[in-house]
Amino acid sequence: MENSIYNSMIAANQLLEKQTVISNNLANISTTGFKEKFNYALQNQYVKNLYKTYNKITKEYHNLSPGTLNYTKRNLDLFVQDNGWLTVKDINGQEAYTKNGHLKINLKRMLTIQENEVIGSNGSIRIPNNVNVKILSDGIITSIEKKNNSFFKTKIGALKLVRLPIQDLIQKENGLFYLKKNNLFKNIINHDDSIHVKSGMLEESNVNAAKNMIEMISNSRQFDIQMKMISICDKNAEYANQLININN
C-alpha cells in the first residue's frame, strides 16, 4: 500500500512538471522565434526491500521546426533560413543563440536582440548615426547614404550566422539557447557561410495552442486520478488499522 502511494506521488509530481512546461509554451505563444519545449521523464526501476524504487531522469527536448512567417517589411526584422541561428552576447558576456530576428539599435548604437548585443563575424556591431541600414541575404550589414543625388553603400559589419548541433543545445530561463559544456565544439561555433537571412519578416512561435491545451486538460485529469488513488490508499490504511484494533 505504501508502494502504491509512493508511485502515485511520483506520477503526480511528473504531471506537475509537465504542466509547468505546457504553461510556459502557452505563455510564449506570441513570442518571436520561441520554440516549443517538451520534458520526458525516464525511469530506471529496481527492487529494494520488496518495494519498487525509481531513479527519475528528465530529458529536455525542443520542437525546432519553423514557425509561421510574419511579413513586417521592417529592415531590421530577419528570418534565418536553413536551420540557422543568430548569435548574441548575454548579460554575462557569454555567447548564446536565438531564432528571434527582431533587431534593434540601443542608445549606444549597438545592434541588439532583446537587449542582448548581437555578435558579428568580427565582434559586436555598432550602427553609425543618421544612416539607413540594410541587411543582405548573407548577413552583411550595409549603410546607405545619399550625397549629391547619389547613393553610397558602406559595409558596417556582418552577422554571425551559425548552424548548431541540436543534441548539444540547452535553453536557459532568459529564453536563449546555449551549447552544453560537454559538447565537441568547446562552446564556440564558427560562422557558417551557407546560412542566409531574409529581411522584412519574422519567424513566429511554433507552439501549437490546441495541442498544448489538450495536453494540459489531459494532465489535469490524470493528476486528479493520482490524488484520488492516494486518498483511497489512505482510507484503506485507516480501515485496516481499525480492523486490527478491533481484533486485538
Side-chain angles (χ1 to χ4, degrees), residues 22-77:
I22 293 172
S23 297
N24 185 60
N25 286 339
L26 292 172
N28 285 280
I29 199 167
S30 299
T31 301
T32 301
F34 181 82
K35 296 302 176 185
E36 194 173 28
K37 179 180 174 182
F38 305 95
N39 274 2
Y40 289 98
L42 306 177
Q43 292 179 340
N44 293 330
Q45 177 182 314
Y46 61 92
V47 177
K48 182 179 180 182
N49 297 330
L50 302 179
Y51 290 109
K52 292 179 182 178
T53 307
Y54 298 93
N55 284 336
K56 188 185 70 171
I57 303 173
T58 301
K59 290 193 173 183
E60 179 180 291
Y61 297 90
H62 289 88
N63 172 15
L64 297 179
S65 62
T68 57
L69 296 181
N70 177 21
Y71 293 84
T72 64
K73 298 181 180 180
R74 179 175 174 268
N75 287 345
L76 291 181
D77 283 343

CSV table of all heavy atoms in Angstrom, one decimal, residues 22-77:
chain,number,residue,atom,x,y,z
A,22,ILE,N,4.1,23.1,-20.2
A,22,ILE,CA,3.0,23.4,-21.1
A,22,ILE,C,2.5,24.9,-20.9
A,22,ILE,O,2.3,25.6,-21.8
A,22,ILE,CB,1.8,22.5,-20.9
A,22,ILE,CG1,2.2,21.1,-21.4
A,22,ILE,CG2,0.6,22.9,-21.7
A,22,ILE,CD1,1.2,20.0,-21.1
A,23,SER,N,2.5,25.3,-19.6
A,23,SER,CA,2.1,26.6,-19.3
A,23,SER,C,3.1,27.6,-19.9
A,23,SER,O,2.7,28.7,-20.4
A,23,SER,CB,2.0,26.8,-17.8
A,23,SER,OG,1.0,26.0,-17.2
A,24,ASN,N,4.4,27.3,-19.8
A,24,ASN,CA,5.4,28.2,-20.4
A,24,ASN,C,5.2,28.2,-21.9
A,24,ASN,O,5.4,29.3,-22.5
A,24,ASN,CB,6.8,27.6,-20.0
A,24,ASN,CG,7.9,28.6,-20.5
A,24,ASN,OD1,8.0,29.7,-20.1
A,24,ASN,ND2,8.8,28.1,-21.4
A,25,ASN,N,4.9,27.1,-22.6
A,25,ASN,CA,4.7,27.1,-24.0
A,25,ASN,C,3.6,28.1,-24.4
A,25,ASN,O,3.7,28.9,-25.3
A,25,ASN,CB,4.4,25.7,-24.5
A,25,ASN,CG,5.6,24.8,-24.5
A,25,ASN,OD1,6.7,25.3,-24.6
A,25,ASN,ND2,5.4,23.5,-24.5
A,26,LEU,N,2.4,27.9,-23.7
A,26,LEU,CA,1.3,28.8,-24.0
A,26,LEU,C,1.5,30.2,-23.7
A,26,LEU,O,1.0,31.1,-24.4
A,26,LEU,CB,0.1,28.2,-23.2
A,26,LEU,CG,-0.5,26.9,-23.6
A,26,LEU,CD1,-1.5,26.4,-22.6
A,26,LEU,CD2,-1.0,26.9,-25.0
A,27,ALA,N,2.3,30.5,-22.6
A,27,ALA,CA,2.6,31.9,-22.3
A,27,ALA,C,3.5,32.6,-23.4
A,27,ALA,O,3.5,33.8,-23.5
A,27,ALA,CB,3.3,32.0,-20.9
A,28,ASN,N,4.2,31.7,-24.1
A,28,ASN,CA,5.1,32.3,-25.2
A,28,ASN,C,4.6,32.1,-26.6
A,28,ASN,O,5.3,32.1,-27.5
A,28,ASN,CB,6.5,31.6,-25.0
A,28,ASN,CG,7.3,32.2,-23.9
A,28,ASN,OD1,7.9,33.2,-23.9
A,28,ASN,ND2,7.3,31.4,-22.8
A,29,ILE,N,3.3,31.9,-26.7
A,29,ILE,CA,2.7,31.6,-28.0
A,29,ILE,C,2.8,32.8,-28.9
A,29,ILE,O,2.8,32.7,-30.2
A,29,ILE,CB,1.2,31.2,-27.8
A,29,ILE,CG1,0.7,30.5,-29.1
A,29,ILE,CG2,0.3,32.4,-27.5
A,29,ILE,CD1,-0.6,29.8,-28.9
A,30,SER,N,3.0,34.0,-28.4
A,30,SER,CA,3.2,35.2,-29.2
A,30,SER,C,4.7,35.7,-29.2
A,30,SER,O,4.9,36.8,-29.7
A,30,SER,CB,2.3,36.3,-28.7
A,30,SER,OG,0.9,36.0,-28.8
A,31,THR,N,5.6,35.0,-28.6
A,31,THR,CA,7.0,35.4,-28.5
A,31,THR,C,7.7,35.0,-29.8
A,31,THR,O,7.7,33.9,-30.3
A,31,THR,CB,7.7,34.7,-27.4
A,31,THR,OG1,7.0,35.0,-26.2
A,31,THR,CG2,9.1,35.1,-27.3
A,32,THR,N,8.3,36.0,-30.5
A,32,THR,CA,9.0,35.8,-31.7
A,32,THR,C,10.1,34.8,-31.6
A,32,THR,O,11.0,34.9,-30.7
A,32,THR,CB,9.6,37.1,-32.2
A,32,THR,OG1,8.6,38.1,-32.4
A,32,THR,CG2,10.3,37.0,-33.5
A,33,GLY,N,10.1,33.8,-32.5
A,33,GLY,CA,11.2,32.8,-32.5
A,33,GLY,C,11.2,31.7,-31.4
A,33,GLY,O,12.1,30.9,-31.3
A,34,PHE,N,10.1,31.8,-30.6
A,34,PHE,CA,10.1,30.8,-29.5
A,34,PHE,C,9.9,29.4,-30.0
A,34,PHE,O,9.1,29.1,-30.9
A,34,PHE,CB,8.9,31.1,-28.5
A,34,PHE,CG,8.8,30.2,-27.3
A,34,PHE,CD1,9.6,30.4,-26.2
A,34,PHE,CD2,7.9,29.2,-27.3
A,34,PHE,CE1,9.5,29.6,-25.1
A,34,PHE,CE2,7.8,28.3,-26.2
A,34,PHE,CZ,8.6,28.5,-25.1
A,35,LYS,N,10.6,28.4,-29.4
A,35,LYS,CA,10.5,27.0,-29.7
A,35,LYS,C,9.8,26.2,-28.6
A,35,LYS,O,10.2,26.3,-27.5
A,35,LYS,CB,11.9,26.4,-30.0
A,35,LYS,CG,12.6,27.1,-31.2
A,35,LYS,CD,11.8,27.0,-32.5
A,35,LYS,CE,12.4,27.7,-33.6
A,35,LYS,NZ,11.5,27.7,-34.8
A,36,GLU,N,8.8,25.4,-29.1
A,36,GLU,CA,8.1,24.6,-28.1
A,36,GLU,C,9.0,23.6,-27.4
A,36,GLU,O,9.9,23.0,-28.0
A,36,GLU,CB,7.0,23.8,-29.0
A,36,GLU,CG,5.9,23.2,-28.2
A,36,GLU,CD,4.8,22.6,-29.1
A,36,GLU,OE1,5.2,22.2,-30.2
A,36,GLU,OE2,3.7,22.5,-28.7
A,37,LYS,N,8.7,23.4,-26.1
A,37,LYS,CA,9.6,22.6,-25.3
A,37,LYS,C,8.8,21.4,-24.7
A,37,LYS,O,7.6,21.5,-24.5
A,37,LYS,CB,10.1,23.5,-24.1
A,37,LYS,CG,11.0,22.7,-23.1
A,37,LYS,CD,11.4,23.7,-22.0
A,37,LYS,CE,12.2,22.9,-20.9
A,37,LYS,NZ,12.6,23.8,-19.8
A,38,PHE,N,9.5,20.3,-24.6
A,38,PHE,CA,8.9,19.1,-24.0
A,38,PHE,C,9.9,18.5,-23.0
A,38,PHE,O,11.1,18.6,-23.1
A,38,PHE,CB,8.7,18.0,-25.1
A,38,PHE,CG,7.9,18.5,-26.2
A,38,PHE,CD1,8.5,19.0,-27.4
A,38,PHE,CD2,6.5,18.4,-26.2
A,38,PHE,CE1,7.7,19.4,-28.5
A,38,PHE,CE2,5.7,18.8,-27.3
A,38,PHE,CZ,6.4,19.3,-28.4
A,39,ASN,N,9.3,17.9,-21.9
A,39,ASN,CA,10.1,17.2,-20.9
A,39,ASN,C,9.7,15.8,-20.9
A,39,ASN,O,8.5,15.5,-20.8
A,39,ASN,CB,9.9,17.8,-19.5
A,39,ASN,CG,10.9,19.0,-19.3
A,39,ASN,OD1,11.7,19.3,-20.2
A,39,ASN,ND2,10.9,19.5,-18.1
A,40,TYR,N,10.6,14.8,-21.0
A,40,TYR,CA,10.3,13.4,-20.9
A,40,TYR,C,11.0,12.8,-19.7
A,40,TYR,O,12.2,13.0,-19.6
A,40,TYR,CB,10.7,12.7,-22.2
A,40,TYR,CG,9.8,13.0,-23.4
A,40,TYR,CD1,10.2,14.0,-24.3
A,40,TYR,CD2,8.6,12.4,-23.5
A,40,TYR,CE1,9.5,14.3,-25.4
A,40,TYR,CE2,7.8,12.7,-24.6
A,40,TYR,CZ,8.2,13.7,-25.6
A,40,TYR,OH,7.4,14.0,-26.6
A,41,ALA,N,10.3,12.1,-18.9
A,41,ALA,CA,10.9,11.5,-17.7
A,41,ALA,C,11.1,10.0,-17.9
A,41,ALA,O,10.2,9.3,-18.2
A,41,ALA,CB,9.9,11.7,-16.5
A,42,LEU,N,12.3,9.6,-17.8
A,42,LEU,CA,12.7,8.2,-17.9
A,42,LEU,C,12.9,7.6,-16.5
A,42,LEU,O,13.5,8.3,-15.7
A,42,LEU,CB,13.9,8.1,-18.8
A,42,LEU,CG,13.9,8.7,-20.2
A,42,LEU,CD1,15.2,8.6,-20.9
A,42,LEU,CD2,12.8,8.2,-21.0
A,43,GLN,N,12.5,6.4,-16.3
A,43,GLN,CA,12.6,5.8,-15.0
A,43,GLN,C,13.5,4.5,-15.1
A,43,GLN,O,13.2,3.7,-15.9
A,43,GLN,CB,11.3,5.5,-14.4
A,43,GLN,CG,10.4,6.7,-14.1
A,43,GLN,CD,9.1,6.3,-13.5
A,43,GLN,OE1,8.6,5.2,-13.7
A,43,GLN,NE2,8.5,7.3,-12.9
A,44,ASN,N,14.5,4.4,-14.2
A,44,ASN,CA,15.2,3.2,-14.0
A,44,ASN,C,14.6,2.5,-12.8
A,44,ASN,O,14.7,3.1,-11.7
A,44,ASN,CB,16.7,3.5,-13.8
A,44,ASN,CG,17.3,4.1,-15.1
A,44,ASN,OD1,16.9,3.7,-16.2
A,44,ASN,ND2,18.3,4.9,-14.9
A,45,GLN,N,14.1,1.3,-13.0
A,45,GLN,CA,13.4,0.6,-11.9
A,45,GLN,C,14.3,-0.5,-11.3
A,45,GLN,O,14.9,-1.3,-12.1
A,45,GLN,CB,12.1,0.1,-12.5
A,45,GLN,CG,11.3,-0.8,-11.5
A,45,GLN,CD,10.1,-1.3,-12.1
A,45,GLN,OE1,9.4,-0.6,-12.8
A,45,GLN,NE2,9.8,-2.6,-11.9
A,46,TYR,N,14.3,-0.6,-10.0
A,46,TYR,CA,15.0,-1.7,-9.4
A,46,TYR,C,14.3,-2.0,-8.1
A,46,TYR,O,13.5,-1.2,-7.6
A,46,TYR,CB,16.5,-1.4,-9.1
A,46,TYR,CG,16.7,-0.3,-8.2
A,46,TYR,CD1,16.9,-0.5,-6.8
A,46,TYR,CD2,16.9,1.0,-8.7
A,46,TYR,CE1,17.1,0.6,-6.0
A,46,TYR,CE2,17.1,2.1,-7.9
A,46,TYR,CZ,17.3,1.9,-6.5
A,46,TYR,OH,17.5,2.9,-5.7
A,47,VAL,N,14.5,-3.2,-7.6
A,47,VAL,CA,13.7,-3.7,-6.4
A,47,VAL,C,14.6,-3.6,-5.2
A,47,VAL,O,15.8,-4.0,-5.2
A,47,VAL,CB,13.3,-5.2,-6.6
A,47,VAL,CG1,12.6,-5.6,-5.3
A,47,VAL,CG2,12.4,-5.3,-7.8
A,48,LYS,N,14.1,-3.0,-4.1
A,48,LYS,CA,14.9,-2.8,-2.9
A,48,LYS,C,13.9,-3.0,-1.7
A,48,LYS,O,12.9,-2.3,-1.6
A,48,LYS,CB,15.5,-1.4,-2.8
A,48,LYS,CG,16.4,-1.2,-1.6
A,48,LYS,CD,17.0,0.2,-1.7
A,48,LYS,CE,17.8,0.5,-0.4
A,48,LYS,NZ,18.4,1.8,-0.4
A,49,ASN,N,14.2,-3.9,-0.8
A,49,ASN,CA,13.4,-4.2,0.3
A,49,ASN,C,11.9,-4.5,0.0
A,49,ASN,O,11.0,-3.9,0.5
A,49,ASN,CB,13.4,-3.0,1.3
A,49,ASN,CG,14.8,-2.8,1.9
A,49,ASN,OD1,15.6,-3.7,2.0
A,49,ASN,ND2,15.1,-1.5,2.2
A,50,LEU,N,11.7,-5.3,-1.1
A,50,LEU,CA,10.4,-5.7,-1.6
A,50,LEU,C,9.6,-4.6,-2.2
A,50,LEU,O,8.4,-4.8,-2.6
A,50,LEU,CB,9.6,-6.3,-0.4
A,50,LEU,CG,10.3,-7.6,0.2
A,50,LEU,CD1,9.4,-8.1,1.3
A,50,LEU,CD2,10.6,-8.6,-0.8
A,51,TYR,N,10.1,-3.4,-2.3
A,51,TYR,CA,9.4,-2.3,-2.9
A,51,TYR,C,10.1,-1.8,-4.2
A,51,TYR,O,11.4,-1.8,-4.3
A,51,TYR,CB,9.3,-1.1,-2.0
A,51,TYR,CG,8.3,-1.3,-0.8
A,51,TYR,CD1,8.8,-1.5,0.5
A,51,TYR,CD2,7.0,-1.4,-1.1
A,51,TYR,CE1,8.0,-1.7,1.5
A,51,TYR,CE2,6.1,-1.7,0.0
A,51,TYR,CZ,6.6,-1.8,1.3
A,51,TYR,OH,5.7,-2.0,2.3
A,52,LYS,N,9.4,-1.4,-5.2
A,52,LYS,CA,10.0,-0.9,-6.4
A,52,LYS,C,10.4,0.6,-6.2
A,52,LYS,O,9.6,1.4,-5.7
A,52,LYS,CB,9.0,-0.9,-7.6
A,52,LYS,CG,8.7,-2.3,-8.0
A,52,LYS,CD,7.6,-2.3,-9.2
A,52,LYS,CE,7.3,-3.7,-9.6
A,52,LYS,NZ,6.3,-3.7,-10.7
A,53,THR,N,11.6,0.9,-6.5
A,53,THR,CA,12.2,2.2,-6.3
A,53,THR,C,12.6,2.7,-7.7
A,53,THR,O,13.1,2.0,-8.6
A,53,THR,CB,13.4,2.2,-5.4
A,53,THR,OG1,13.0,1.5,-4.2
A,53,THR,CG2,13.8,3.6,-5.1
A,54,TYR,N,12.4,4.0,-7.9
A,54,TYR,CA,12.7,4.6,-9.2
A,54,TYR,C,13.7,5.7,-9.1
A,54,TYR,O,13.7,6.6,-8.2
A,54,TYR,CB,11.4,5.2,-9.8
A,54,TYR,CG,10.3,4.2,-10.1
A,54,TYR,CD1,9.3,3.9,-9.1
A,54,TYR,CD2,10.3,3.5,-11.2
A,54,TYR,CE1,8.4,3.0,-9.3
A,54,TYR,CE2,9.3,2.5,-11.5
A,54,TYR,CZ,8.3,2.3,-10.5
A,54,TYR,OH,7.4,1.3,-10.7
A,55,ASN,N,14.6,5.7,-10.1
A,55,ASN,CA,15.5,6.9,-10.3
A,55,ASN,C,15.0,7.6,-11.5
A,55,ASN,O,15.0,7.0,-12.6
A,55,ASN,CB,17.0,6.4,-10.6
A,55,ASN,CG,17.6,5.9,-9.3
A,55,ASN,OD1,17.2,6.4,-8.2
A,55,ASN,ND2,18.6,5.1,-9.4
A,56,LYS,N,14.6,8.8,-11.4
A,56,LYS,CA,14.0,9.5,-12.5
A,56,LYS,C,15.0,10.4,-13.2
A,56,LYS,O,15.8,11.1,-12.6
A,56,LYS,CB,12.9,10.5,-12.0
A,56,LYS,CG,12.1,11.1,-13.1
A,56,LYS,CD,11.1,12.1,-12.5
A,56,LYS,CE,11.8,13.3,-12.0
A,56,LYS,NZ,10.9,14.4,-11.6
A,57,ILE,N,15.0,10.3,-14.5
A,57,ILE,CA,15.9,11.1,-15.4
A,57,ILE,C,15.0,11.9,-16.3
A,57,ILE,O,14.3,11.3,-17.1
A,57,ILE,CB,16.9,10.2,-16.2
A,57,ILE,CG1,17.7,9.3,-15.3
A,57,ILE,CG2,17.8,11.0,-17.1
A,57,ILE,CD1,18.5,8.2,-16.0
A,58,THR,N,15.1,13.2,-16.2
A,58,THR,CA,14.3,14.1,-17.0
A,58,THR,C,15.1,14.6,-18.1
A,58,THR,O,16.2,15.2,-17.9
A,58,THR,CB,13.7,15.2,-16.2
A,58,THR,OG1,12.9,14.7,-15.1
A,58,THR,CG2,12.8,16.1,-17.1
A,59,LYS,N,14.6,14.4,-19.4
A,59,LYS,CA,15.3,14.9,-20.6
A,59,LYS,C,14.5,16.0,-21.2
A,59,LYS,O,13.3,16.0,-21.2
A,59,LYS,CB,15.6,13.8,-21.5
A,59,LYS,CG,16.7,12.8,-21.1
A,59,LYS,CD,17.1,11.9,-22.2
A,59,LYS,CE,18.3,11.1,-21.7
A,59,LYS,NZ,18.8,10.2,-22.9
A,60,GLU,N,15.2,17.0,-21.7
A,60,GLU,CA,14.5,18.2,-22.3
A,60,GLU,C,14.7,18.2,-23.8
A,60,GLU,O,15.7,17.9,-24.3
A,60,GLU,CB,15.2,19.5,-21.7
A,60,GLU,CG,14.6,20.8,-22.3
A,60,GLU,CD,15.3,22.0,-21.7
A,60,GLU,OE1,15.1,22.2,-20.5
A,60,GLU,OE2,16.0,22.7,-22.4
A,61,TYR,N,13.5,18.4,-24.5
A,61,TYR,CA,13.6,18.4,-25.9
A,61,TYR,C,12.9,19.7,-26.4
A,61,TYR,O,12.0,20.2,-25.8
A,61,TYR,CB,12.8,17.2,-26.5
A,61,TYR,CG,13.5,15.8,-26.2
A,61,TYR,CD1,13.1,15.2,-25.0
A,61,TYR,CD2,14.5,15.3,-27.0
A,61,TYR,CE1,13.7,13.9,-24.7
A,61,TYR,CE2,15.1,14.1,-26.7
A,61,TYR,CZ,14.7,13.4,-25.5
A,61,TYR,OH,15.3,12.2,-25.2
A,62,HIS,N,13.2,20.1,-27.6
A,62,HIS,CA,12.6,21.3,-28.2
A,62,HIS,C,12.1,20.9,-29.7
A,62,HIS,O,12.8,20.2,-30.4
A,62,HIS,CB,13.6,22.5,-28.3
A,62,HIS,CG,13.9,23.1,-27.0
A,62,HIS,ND1,14.9,22.6,-26.1
A,62,HIS,CD2,13.3,24.1,-26.3
A,62,HIS,CE1,14.9,23.3,-25.0
A,62,HIS,NE2,13.9,24.2,-25.1
A,63,ASN,N,11.0,21.4,-30.0
A,63,ASN,CA,10.5,21.3,-31.3
A,63,ASN,C,11.1,22.5,-32.1
A,63,ASN,O,10.7,23.6,-32.0
A,63,ASN,CB,9.0,21.4,-31.3
A,63,ASN,CG,8.4,21.5,-32.7
A,63,ASN,OD1,9.1,21.2,-33.7
A,63,ASN,ND2,7.1,21.9,-32.8
A,64,LEU,N,12.1,22.2,-33.0
A,64,LEU,CA,12.8,23.2,-33.7
A,64,LEU,C,12.3,23.5,-35.1
A,64,LEU,O,12.9,24.1,-35.9
A,64,LEU,CB,14.3,22.8,-33.7
A,64,LEU,CG,15.0,22.8,-32.4
A,64,LEU,CD1,16.5,22.3,-32.6
A,64,LEU,CD2,14.9,24.1,-31.6
A,65,SER,N,11.1,23.0,-35.4
A,65,SER,CA,10.5,23.2,-36.7
A,65,SER,C,10.2,24.7,-36.8
A,65,SER,O,9.9,25.4,-35.8
A,65,SER,CB,9.2,22.4,-36.9
A,65,SER,OG,8.3,22.7,-35.9
A,66,PRO,N,10.2,25.3,-38.0
A,66,PRO,CA,10.0,26.7,-38.1
A,66,PRO,C,8.5,27.1,-37.8
A,66,PRO,O,7.6,26.4,-38.1
A,66,PRO,CB,10.3,27.0,-39.6
A,66,PRO,CG,10.2,25.7,-40.3
A,66,PRO,CD,10.6,24.7,-39.3
A,67,GLY,N,8.4,28.3,-37.3
A,67,GLY,CA,7.0,28.9,-37.0
A,67,GLY,C,6.6,29.6,-38.3
A,67,GLY,O,7.3,29.7,-39.3
A,68,THR,N,5.4,30.1,-38.2
A,68,THR,CA,4.8,30.9,-39.4
A,68,THR,C,5.6,32.2,-39.5
A,68,THR,O,6.1,32.7,-38.6
A,68,THR,CB,3.3,31.1,-39.2
A,68,THR,OG1,3.1,31.9,-38.0
A,68,THR,CG2,2.5,29.8,-39.2
A,69,LEU,N,5.6,32.7,-40.7
A,69,LEU,CA,6.3,34.0,-41.0
A,69,LEU,C,5.4,35.2,-41.0
A,69,LEU,O,4.2,35.1,-41.5
A,69,LEU,CB,7.0,33.9,-42.4
A,69,LEU,CG,8.1,32.8,-42.6
A,69,LEU,CD1,8.6,32.9,-44.0
A,69,LEU,CD2,9.2,33.0,-41.5
A,70,ASN,N,5.8,36.2,-40.3
A,70,ASN,CA,5.1,37.4,-40.2
A,70,ASN,C,5.8,38.5,-41.0
A,70,ASN,O,7.0,38.9,-40.7
A,70,ASN,CB,5.0,37.9,-38.7
A,70,ASN,CG,4.3,39.2,-38.6
A,70,ASN,OD1,3.6,39.7,-39.4
A,70,ASN,ND2,4.6,39.9,-37.4
A,71,TYR,N,5.2,39.0,-42.1
A,71,TYR,CA,5.8,39.9,-43.0
A,71,TYR,C,5.7,41.3,-42.5
A,71,TYR,O,4.6,41.9,-42.5
A,71,TYR,CB,5.2,39.8,-44.4
A,71,TYR,CG,5.6,38.5,-45.1
A,71,TYR,CD1,4.8,37.3,-44.8
A,71,TYR,CD2,6.7,38.4,-45.9
A,71,TYR,CE1,5.1,36.1,-45.4
A,71,TYR,CE2,7.0,37.1,-46.5
A,71,TYR,CZ,6.2,36.0,-46.2
A,71,TYR,OH,6.5,34.8,-46.8
A,72,THR,N,6.7,41.9,-41.9
A,72,THR,CA,6.7,43.2,-41.2
A,72,THR,C,7.2,44.3,-42.1
A,72,THR,O,6.9,45.5,-41.8
A,72,THR,CB,7.6,43.2,-40.0
A,72,THR,OG1,8.9,43.0,-40.4
A,72,THR,CG2,7.2,42.0,-39.0
A,73,LYS,N,7.9,44.0,-43.1
A,73,LYS,CA,8.5,45.0,-44.1
A,73,LYS,C,9.5,45.9,-43.3
A,73,LYS,O,9.8,47.0,-43.8
A,73,LYS,CB,7.5,45.8,-44.8
A,73,LYS,CG,6.6,44.9,-45.7
A,73,LYS,CD,5.5,45.8,-46.4
A,73,LYS,CE,4.6,44.9,-47.3
A,73,LYS,NZ,3.6,45.7,-48.0
A,74,ARG,N,10.0,45.5,-42.2
A,74,ARG,CA,11.0,46.3,-41.4
A,74,ARG,C,12.4,45.8,-41.7
A,74,ARG,O,12.6,44.6,-41.7
A,74,ARG,CB,10.7,46.2,-39.9
A,74,ARG,CG,11.6,47.0,-39.0
A,74,ARG,CD,11.1,46.9,-37.6
A,74,ARG,NE,12.1,47.5,-36.6
A,74,ARG,CZ,13.0,46.8,-36.0
A,74,ARG,NH1,13.2,45.5,-36.2
A,74,ARG,NH2,13.9,47.4,-35.2
A,75,ASN,N,13.3,46.7,-42.0
A,75,ASN,CA,14.6,46.3,-42.5
A,75,ASN,C,15.4,45.5,-41.4
A,75,ASN,O,16.2,44.7,-41.8
A,75,ASN,CB,15.4,47.6,-42.8
A,75,ASN,CG,15.0,48.2,-44.2
A,75,ASN,OD1,14.3,47.5,-44.9
A,75,ASN,ND2,15.4,49.4,-44.4
A,76,LEU,N,15.1,45.8,-40.1
A,76,LEU,CA,15.9,45.1,-39.1
A,76,LEU,C,15.1,43.9,-38.5
A,76,LEU,O,15.5,43.4,-37.5
A,76,LEU,CB,16.2,46.1,-37.9
A,76,LEU,CG,17.2,47.2,-38.3
A,76,LEU,CD1,17.4,48.1,-37.0
A,76,LEU,CD2,18.5,46.6,-38.7
A,77,ASP,N,14.1,43.4,-39.2
A,77,ASP,CA,13.4,42.2,-38.9
A,77,ASP,C,14.0,41.1,-39.8
A,77,ASP,O,13.9,41.3,-41.0
A,77,ASP,CB,11.9,42.3,-39.0
A,77,ASP,CG,11.3,43.1,-37.8
A,77,ASP,OD1,12.0,43.2,-36.8
A,77,ASP,OD2,10.2,43.5,-38.0
